[in-house]
Amino acid sequence: MKKLVLLGALALSVLSLPTFADEKPLKIGIEAAYPPFASKAPDGNIVGFDYDIGNALCEEMKVKCVWVEQEFDGLIPALKVRKIDAILSSMSITEDRKKSVDFTNKYYNTPARLVMKSGTQVSDGLTELKGKNIGVQRGSIHERFAREVLTPLGAEIKPYGSQNEIYLDVAAGRLDGTVADATLLDDGFLKTDAGKGFAFVGPAFTDVKYFGDGVGIAVRKGDALKDKINTAITAIRENGKYKQIQDKYFAFDIYGK
């Protein structure tokens, strides 16, 4: 009898577990070197806007998030070989990437900018960049933009594994500047001690050809996960969770128009 009572109790406890216990964990790829979107805290944990949004989406979908760290240029290959199920790492939705993966609807949208020494004059034509060494993150949309737009103007494009490495060389004078997401540059460099003496220069870059239609979450081609995530994005936008996370990091509407 005691065994039957125990088995009954166990059955009830299983039934009372959260729904996500019945679902496979969602393995999400992220590069934790992109503050304020994703970086490592002193205790080694991942923190940032992307990380919080991902956890909110998993909670909404009632699945367990498992975060898999990967350098940015290795994220799509990792998705293709099923090392991860989705990429949530500030990846812009571009036509070129759509050839390899499917994207959800955007979850934010910001322009790219150029950062150089304060006082540097750069016109809309960008001709002043001739002979300048410009750092870009390898595999990013900013690298493609720099190679196709800035290289013909005479700029020397230097690819790096992470944006943090670029900041070190900009601050040390080994690079003249860098092109990246404006919010990333502002929070990750300009507002830090290393970024003193540097500023945004030139125009904002928003060409859809290079910068796409905002930032989305990548999944494998044809994966029904895309629709589930889209539903979750809509839900956290409507229930206030998105704004709560946004306001933790930004003083403006990062979702965009």
Side-chain angles (χ1 to χ4, degrees):
M1 180 62 71
K2 286 182 179 179
K3 288 183 179 179
L4 288 174
V5 170
L6 178 60
L7 288 172
L10 285 172
L12 285 173
S13 68
V14 170
L15 289 173
S16 65
L17 287 174
T19 304
F20 65 70
D22 297 327
E23 299 285 343
K24 289 174 58 179
L26 183 63
K27 294 178 290 184
I28 304 177
I30 191 169
E31 183 197 40
Y34 205 66
F37 297 98
S39 60
K40 298 298 278 290
D43 62 4
N45 290 322
I46 303 173
V47 295
F49 177 77
D50 281 349
Y51 180 72
D52 288 356
I53 287 292
N55 285 330
L57 293 174
C58 285
E59 183 179 352
E60 182 64 34
M61 293 186 291
K62 295 182 173 57
V63 296
K64 179 181 178 182
C65 274
V66 175
W67 293 90
V68 180
E69 290 186 61
Q70 179 85 46
E71 285 197 357
F72 191 82
D73 58 357
L75 285 168
I76 288 180
L79 180 67
K80 287 185 171 183
V81 299
R82 297 180 178 272
K83 181 179 178 182
I84 55 177
D85 303 308
I87 299 169
L88 203 167
S89 193
S90 291
M91 184 170 282
S92 295
I93 304 166
T94 66
E95 291 303 317
D96 190 52
R97 286 177 177 151
K98 285 180 183 177
K99 296 173 185 176
S100 300
V101 299
D102 282 347
F103 278 99
T104 65
N105 299 333
K106 71 171 185 178
Y107 66 96
Y108 80 84
N109 192 10
T110 55
R113 293 295 303 271
L114 175 67
V115 160
M116 299 180 74
K117 280 280 189 183
S118 299
T120 303
Q121 298 299 311
V122 177
S123 63
D124 288 353
L126 307 174
T127 53
E128 297 85 352
L129 297 182
K130 183 176 181 179
K132 301 296 185 183
N133 291 312
I134 305 298
V136 291
Q137 185 169 9
R138 188 181 299 113
S140 68
I141 56 173
H142 307 100
E143 180 183 17
R144 182 189 172 207
F145 167 78
R147 292 194 182 283
E148 295 187 11
V149 176
L150 305 186
T151 296
L153 297 173
E156 297 291 332
I157 306 306
K158 309 291 184 182
Y160 286 73
S162 76
Q163 195 64 36
N164 287 337
E165 295 175 61
I166 295 174
Y167 296 152
L168 291 173
D169 278 3
V170 171
R174 290 185 287 269
L175 288 171
D176 296 300
T178 179
V179 173
D181 178 86
T183 306
L184 167 77
L185 291 170
D186 190 34
D187 276 72
F189 185 61
L190 295 179
K191 289 180 179 177
T192 69
D193 289 340
K196 290 179 180 177
F198 294 89
F200 289 126
V201 299
F205 305 123
T206 58
D207 190 337
V208 172
K209 176 182 176 181
Y210 299 104
F211 303 106
D213 300 308
V215 170
I217 300 166
V219 299
R220 283 182 289 276
K221 280 285 189 181
D223 196 331
L225 178 61
K226 181 179 95 169
D227 293 334
K228 293 180 181 178
I229 296 176
N230 277 336
T231 299
I233 291 172
T234 299
I236 67 170
R237 291 275 298 159
E238 291 177 348
N239 66 22
K241 186 64 177 179
Y242 182 95
K243 188 176 188 306
Q244 180 184 337
I245 296 170
Q246 170 190 276
D247 292 350
K248 178 179 174 182
Y249 296 97
F250 312 109
F252 60 94
D253 177 14
I254 194 171
Y255 187 78
K257 296 180 180 180

